[in-house]
Amino acid sequence: MATMNMIQALNDAHKVMMRADGDVVVFGEDAGYFGGVFRVTEGLQREFGKTRAFDAPISEGGIVAAAVGMAAYGLKPLIEIQFADYIYPGYDQIVSEVAKMRYRTAGEWPMPMVIRTPYGGGIFGGQTHSQSPESLFTHIAGLKVVVPSTPHDAKGLLIAAIEDPDPVIFFEPKRIYNGPFDGHHDRPVTPWAKHSASEVPDGHYAVPLGKARVVREGEALTVLTYGTMVHVSLAAVEENGVDAEVIDLRTLVPLDLETIVASVEKTGRCLVVHEAPRTSGFGAELVALVQERCFYHLEAPVERVTGWDTPYPHSYEWAYFPGPKRLKKALEKVMGD
Amino acid sequence: MSDKDPKVTRANRPVLALHVPEPHLRPGDAPDFSAIVIPAAGSAPRPRTDAPAADTHSLATNLVRVLGDDHRAVGPWDPKIDPEILRKMLRDMVTVRIFDDRMYRAQRQGKTSFYMKCSGEEAIAIATAAAMDRADMHFPTYRQQGLLIARGYPLTTMMCQIYSNGGDPLKGRQLPIMYSDKAHGFFSISGNLGTQFPQAVGWAMAAAIKGDHRIAMGWIGDGATAEGDFHSAMTFAAVYNVPVILAVVNNQWAISSFSGIAGAERATFAQRAVGYGIASLRVDGNDALAVYAAVQWASERARANAGPTMIEFFTYRAEGHSTSDDPSGYRPVNEGKAWPLGDPLERLKAHLIALGQWDEERHSTLVAHCDAEVRAAQKEAEKLGILPQQGKDNIASMFDDVYADIPWHIAEQRDAALAEAKDR
Ligand SMILES: Cc1ncc(C[n+]2csc(CCOP(=O)(O)OP(=O)(O)O)c2C)c(N)n1
Ligand SMILES: [Mg+2]
């Protein structure tokens, strides 16, 4: 067991899997010698050599396409897209090729690969370093979508993603790489070391895909969330004295419906929280599912807390970000109805 | 490895090996650029501006240089610029460098979130601006702040953009330095690399469709040439013989990746034009006169409907990629000082002195003047606030310009955001 922040935990997952499996290759922009702009791939080139951890040309389309070719050969590409905001040149390859290959070849060419990418705001990155495009991927049949929220889960989920036979888009909440975030941007950042989920087991362990985690048990309402917003939601629930059950979905596709339904049936109320824009966000899917599966248990309409339907505005970061005030209001609404 | 697949084994064949490019030097090594071939100033031939593209292709591996070691202009590319223009270029370069230093420091002081310098590359944008018409259109990257400064865009407004304050024409929406100004022929800088390159071609196509006289110039870094957009630009420019200049600023680095990761071990960036049948020039980017001459040549060619030109500006990124970067983690420190093509600002200054058109005293006066100008601009800008104070007022403006008109759902969200801002 070691204390790690999320970057170190992800790095450790790379090392564990690269040691165990010679077919795992890592590449991405600045991901080789330098170890990535967030340092997640630090030291891999030193340990595993230049042909297993290397810098890629600045071509997200090329990076994904090369991964397709490598997966077709039989390797397991573990690639980094420097920011989720820069994944779009690779979107055609992901949507048209990676996602559909198993299906269109009747299983002959599965695409086991992991596409890691930092996402989300809260770092004053402006519109091209802050986006949360997960719903552009959850909408695509054939892709699994994973979002960790702690160092412990980051390592375990990444290992599970690498071992998974299908392609996984692995969104890393960059705001909480170095420490959890309660949504109060004016307070000092607490490092992961103070959080129990920074205890990361040595060696191999998997946090299974498709399994949510109940972060806080409660009776009054169910909060469905993931990534950075797990911590923001938890803080809001405590601050407002609501006995909420907070569920960290961890995997968006496939979703842990069982955990969601059991919780909403127990609490009768539900709030969905994500940082991404509202319209056609993943929250819409969650609300629809809860409505379909739990309608007769619901005591109030399901609410959403989200980012606004605007590009991420640089100086209005905290007016955009779904922080404590937006959560408080929504909690009151769901509990009051 | 892929145990299901039968591996073809042929005893007499070599085992395949992957080549991963690696720069010659890494942190701890002494800077050494002796491997770079530098043709003498004045040695590159100058084809006619309406020559077939193929006549330029030997220049794709050459290097257009005008300023010799004696600081005099030499050879067929000498643009014979009026000293008044040279002095204007020098002044703009001095301003850019001081501006960069001040804004870098402002970021370090917590006054804004981010900044990017163009140190060592100042001549490229500045001499380009001098060589083109004021009405021509640029589709820049984040390292062409010199275009705005040379075209007289107010320094205070640039700083207001950097501070995202009330004087920011982009209303605090964009990351610092992602300027945009139609009146100065400066298209909105994108954070997404390469997108602007084919857009420049489209603008120039429109100018040609409408029988305009204005041309366009697209800009891209060495690293970003790997994006598909680079090739879209080249294809469209070649197919429609578009009046556009396509500039690759090869400053040797793309964050931590050296130019070899973008293909420079195999061919120059200028050579890429050969396959498209586009005229191609490779130019010493630290030689303001060579930059001017090349851009003037390409402009003349474009204006005469003789076709597009790709120009590779060969230069060196003398400092970190941005305020988020520390280059000592991937390249020798002080490489910038060892760059064999020198400092563009010092070279232009030495040329003016060699011409008898400048001296140290006038230079100190100029530096003091520019410094005072930048400081005064900064003071003005800071009166309107710095980044940490922003984002609280006029929250409704955040919802403007998503669409021409505000649809109901955004109006609802605007009202919610305003209510939220009032909540204690
Ligand atoms: C599509 C896209 N991918 C990745 C990035 C991240 N990124 C920003 S600048 C940069 C390096 C660009 O290098 P180069 O094109 O050589 O330009 P320079 O910074 O040297 O001027 C990278 C990888 C981005 N902004 N956009
Ligand atoms: Mg570069």
Side-chain angles (χ1 to χ4, degrees), chain B residues 258-403:
Chain B
F258 83 122
S259 58
I261 295 294
E265 281 184 344
R266 307 287 163 214
T268 69
F269 292 96
Q271 277 178 289
R272 299 198 186 172
V274 176
Y276 288 96
I278 291 177
S280 179
L281 306 174
R282 189 162 172 270
V283 176
D284 176 353
N286 291 19
D287 176 343
L289 273 69
V291 172
Y292 185 103
V295 172
Q296 194 180 45
W297 186 95
S299 309
E300 221 176 281
R301 183 177 181 82
R303 281 187 223 290
N305 286 313
T309 303
M310 154 149 293
I311 305 178
E312 173 184 349
F313 292 115
F314 196 69
T315 183
Y316 184 83
R317 195 194 77 209
E319 301 205 22
H321 171 73
S322 71
T323 45
S324 311
D325 179 43
D326 174 8
S328 69
Y330 51 81
R331 68 182 193 187
V333 287
N334 283 329
E335 252 195 8
K337 299 230 168 13
W339 181 243
L341 296 169
D343 177 331
L345 197 157
E346 293 302 324
R347 282 175 73 190
L348 182 58
K349 174 187 161 197
H351 174 57
L352 271 161
I353 292 174
L355 287 177
Q357 293 285 346
W358 200 242
D359 56 46
E360 288 295 348
E361 203 186 308
R362 287 173 82 180
H363 195 77
S364 322
T365 311
L366 173 72
V367 171
H369 173 84
C370 295
D371 189 65
E373 200 176 47
V374 172
R375 278 170 195 273
Q378 189 174 3
K379 216 168 175 180
E380 278 307 300
E382 289 182 8
K383 275 189 203 154
L384 296 168
I386 55 174
L387 177 64
Q389 303 156 342
Q390 308 308 313
K392 298 178 187 90
D393 301 327
N394 203 8
I395 280 172
S397 80
M398 192 173 118
F399 297 89
D400 296 338
D401 303 317
V402 181
Y403 302 95

Side-chain angles (χ1 to χ4, degrees), chain A residues 3 18 24 36 49 54 70 86 88 93 96 99 120 168 178 207 237 242 250 260 286:
Chain A
T3 303
M18 290 177 83
V24 176
F54 51 91
M70 289 181 198
Y86 303 141
Y88 308 120
Q93 287 284 340
S96 310
V168 178
N178 290 301
V207 170
V237 159
V242 182
R250 302 198 291 197
I260 296 171
L286 293 170

Side-chain angles (χ1 to χ4, degrees), chain A residues 48-212:
Chain A
F48 302 101
K50 284 204 297 183
T51 59
R52 288 191 62 203
F54 51 91
D55 288 327
I58 303 173
S59 170
E60 294 75 15
I63 290 169
V64 179
V68 170
M70 289 181 198
Y73 182 92
L75 299 188
K76 289 186 190 156
L78 169 53
I79 60 182
E80 174 174 301
I81 299 294
Q82 198 164 86
F83 284 85
D85 316 69
Y86 303 141
I87 205 165
Y88 308 120
Y91 197 59
D92 184 32
Q93 287 284 340
I94 295 173
V95 173
S96 310
E97 306 299 314
V98 173
K100 297 175 175 59
M101 197 64 77
R102 178 188 290 279
Y103 191 80
R104 84 184 196 211
T105 65
E108 190 181 22
W109 302 100
M111 283 288 131
M113 70 171 71
V114 179
I115 303 176
R116 295 180 33 248
T117 190
Y119 87 100
I123 60 154
F124 275 101
Q127 38 192 276
T128 55
H129 303 89
S130 307
Q131 294 168 48
S132 297
E134 64 272 14
S135 71
L136 300 183
F137 298 88
T138 57
H139 189 63
I140 306 302
L143 300 176
K144 293 186 177 177
V145 179
V146 173
V147 191
S149 74
T150 66
H152 174 276
D153 284 359
K155 177 176 170 184
L157 286 166
L158 185 55
I159 288 174
I162 298 166
E163 290 176 338
D164 197 271
D166 283 311
V168 178
I169 314 292
F170 195 90
F171 285 106
E172 299 169 4
K174 67 175 104 67
R175 167 70 213 207
I176 58 170
Y177 266 153
N178 290 301
F181 177 52
D182 62 10
H184 294 280
H185 60 91
D186 41 2
R187 293 183 190 165
V189 179
T190 48
W192 272 115
K194 299 222 168 95
H195 194 288
S196 62
S198 67
E199 293 286 303
V200 174
D202 298 330
H204 181 285
Y205 68 93
V207 170
L209 305 191
K211 279 253 149 256

Side-chain angles (χ1 to χ4, degrees), chain A residues 30 60 309 314-316 326, chain B residues 113 164 172 227 256 393 413 420:
Chain A
D30 302 291
E60 294 75 15
D309 286 330
H314 177 246
S315 69
Y316 291 100
R326 215 169 301 165
Chain B
S113 55
S164 278
E227 292 286 4
S256 76
D393 301 327
Q413 292 177 21
E420 185 175 296

Side-chain angles (χ1 to χ4, degrees), chain B residues 172-207:
Chain B
R173 294 181 192 148
Q174 271 280 50
L175 199 65
I177 63 107
M178 300 287 177
Y179 314 108
S180 171
D181 195 80
K182 198 185 251 183
H184 288 79
F186 193 94
F187 192 70
S188 161
I189 297 173
S190 176
N192 301 65
L193 292 171
T195 50
Q196 72 286 350
F197 213 49
Q199 292 164 357
V201 177
W203 195 96
M205 286 171 70

Side-chain angles (χ1 to χ4, degrees), chain B residues 221-223 249 251-254:
Chain B
D222 48 286
V249 179
N251 62 7
Q252 316 299 322
W253 290 92

